[in-house]
Amino acid sequence: MNKPLVGALLSVLLLGAGVAPAAASTATDAATRTDTTEVRAKAVTFAGTVALSNCSGSVVRVPSAQPGDPALVLSNGHCLETGFPAPGQVVLNKASTRSFTLLNAAGSGVGTLRASKIAYGTMTDTDVSLYQLTRTYAQIESSYGIKALELSAAHPVKGTAITVASGYWKRTYSCAVDGFAYRLKEGAWTWKDSVRYTSACQTIGGTSGSPVIDDATGKVVAVNNTGNEDGQRCTDNNPCEVDENGTVTVREGINYAQQTYGIVPCVGTGSQIDLNRAGCALPKP
């Protein structure tokens, strides 16, 4: 996994047994991009992203969200302050007072947001956490002039130009959707239909939970979560792909994200997670 971090000074240490970053090279800062591939992604800013104590995240809304609904923050299940959920475990409506630093378009912190609860969290089938905040979308926009990022309701498409925006590091990574892993297995966990990046997205520890943004639409299509660090097979820090026939493929240095379109049907009135809503296929407790 793109390991969660205790702090910048501990970025080379592990948080939790055996968790390390994906294989990485120096991140590309949006402000220093020069080639034509990267220039096209400058429209993607840090507005709406957040920095957690150990990960990245973003303030998100579903298409049907109302201004008066409590805002939601999206990150990874492995970024929860309660630790990694076990295989099969789902965290639902658990009280939390976690804080998040909200960033503006330039990547500057403009305020602190606070959770009222972990609305949803799991590492089964996907690697996602959703925090409900104490403030509404309208209150955040009124105070900071920042709108939530919208979750796309559509499955992402191979070849789509994307940007991974890390609020923790205030860095972006630009590449494309290379394809999809039928199953992605890492240690004890298995994820379904994961997004595989092209090699240009060399995400690092602390980028866990970053929104993966479709450059053309500005919508969130996935949440960044892991990568194969050193070519091992299906171990912690070294996820492997397993196809429909059980064939295993290892792609050293390649990084992955978990799709988010499946979250949309599960969010009801008032930002409440309802796992019984029509079309909701997120794992249940």
Side-chain angles (χ1 to χ4, degrees), residues 35 70 159 222 237 245:
D35 67 48
N237 321 311
N245 300 315

Side-chain angles (χ1 to χ4, degrees), residues 142-154:
S142 175
S143 296
Y144 307 110
I146 294 174
K147 295 182 178 181
L149 300 174
E150 183 177 332
L151 294 178
S152 173

Side-chain angles (χ1 to χ4, degrees), residues 1 87 123 125 181-194 225-228 232-243 246-251 256 258:
M1 279 159 265
M123 288 178 67
D125 295 351
Y182 174 72
R183 296 290 184 267
L184 192 67
K185 181 173 176 56
E186 179 173 348
W189 295 276
T190 300
W191 304 305
K192 297 179 178 179
D193 199 20
S194 302
N225 81 309
T226 195
N228 187 288
Q232 294 183 29
R233 177 184 169 109
C234 313
T235 62
D236 289 347
N237 321 311
N238 292 282
C240 63
E241 298 184 21
V242 184
D243 70 13
T247 302
V248 174
T249 302
V250 173
R251 302 179 191 269
Y256 300 88
Q258 301 308 307

Side-chain angles (χ1 to χ4, degrees), residues 113-216:
L113 305 176
R114 191 166 296 279
S116 61
K117 66 180 180 180
I118 302 169
Y120 186 84
T122 193
M123 288 178 67
T124 298
D125 295 351
T126 186
D127 183 7
V128 66
S129 61
L130 287 167
Y131 288 86
Q132 187 176 112
L133 302 183
T134 59
R135 306 182 76 177
T136 66
Y137 294 112
Q139 288 171 333
I140 292 171
E141 185 172 357
S142 175
S143 296
Y144 307 110
I146 294 174
K147 295 182 178 181
L149 300 174
E150 183 177 332
L151 294 178
S152 173
H155 190 292
V157 177
K158 181 178 179 178
T160 298
I162 54 174
T163 297
V164 182
S166 170
Y168 186 93
W169 289 116
K170 302 177 180 63
R171 293 175 178 176
T172 59
Y173 305 78
S174 291
C175 59
V177 175
D178 184 56
F180 305 94
Y182 174 72
R183 296 290 184 267
L184 192 67
K185 181 173 176 56
E186 179 173 348
W189 295 276
T190 300
W191 304 305
K192 297 179 178 179
D193 199 20
S194 302
V195 174
R196 182 197 317 116
Y197 304 145
T198 53
S199 60
C201 278
Q202 289 291 307
T203 49
I204 61 174
T207 64
S208 287
S210 298
V212 180
I213 301 169
D214 182 323
D215 291 352

Side-chain angles (χ1 to χ4, degrees), residues 3 5-14:
K3 71 178 183 301
L5 301 177
V6 175
L9 293 179
L10 298 181
S11 63
V12 297
L13 300 180
L14 306 183

